[in-house]
Amino acid sequence: MARNTKLKIGAWSAGLIGGLALAGALAAQPPGRTITVHINGADYGKLPTGLKVGDTIHWVNDDTVGHTVTARDHSFDLHLNPGQSANLTLQKDGTYQIYCLYHSTMRGVLTAAAR
């Protein structure tokens, strides 16, 4: 076998083994949690703590008017009419300042840590 072919096979094998190791590491990570937050009385209520990247917040608007869950850094903007719900999966670690576009008193902070 030519030396060039051996090098290509060696590089391909190393890439395959590295890819399998990465896939195993990703598969070993525990799945994210789902936490439900009920919006009622123009209030987000008790916001979850101990969040990690990959966790999902299930927002439920139990109020009689529409609300938003909007990040000050523009990373997300959920609009919820009365009775609607929506999921937000945290994609990166950090602190998210949130507010409602319609109600200036609705504010909060979500903090997500790396998994």
Side-chain angles (χ1 to χ4, degrees):
M1 191 177 294
R3 177 170 159 66
N4 194 17
T5 303
K6 287 181 185 178
L7 289 174
K8 286 181 184 176
I9 291 172
W12 179 83
S13 298
L16 177 62
I17 291 167
L20 290 174
L22 177 61
L26 291 176
Q29 290 182 355
R33 303 174 300 151
T34 299
I35 302 103
T36 300
V37 173
H38 290 270
I39 300 169
N40 197 353
D43 187 59
Y44 290 126
K46 183 170 171 30
L47 293 174
T49 59
L51 295 168
K52 297 202 181 283
V53 172
D55 286 349
T56 298
I57 303 171
H58 180 71
W59 298 92
V60 180
N61 184 359
D62 293 330
D63 227 335
T64 58
V65 296
H67 295 292
T68 71
V69 181
T70 305
R72 292 235 180 253
D73 70 358
H74 308 289
S75 59
F76 55 85
D77 184 22
L78 305 176
H79 291 252
L80 301 168
N81 288 320
Q84 283 188 322
S85 63
N87 289 334
L88 169 66
T89 301
L90 300 169
Q91 302 295 327
K92 64 178 185 158
D93 61 335
T95 300
Y96 300 89
Q97 302 282 332
I98 62 169
Y99 67 102
C100 176
L101 290 171
Y102 311 128
H103 306 98
S104 62
T105 59
M106 290 180 66
R107 294 186 224 92
V109 177
L110 301 171
T111 302
R115 192 163 285 286

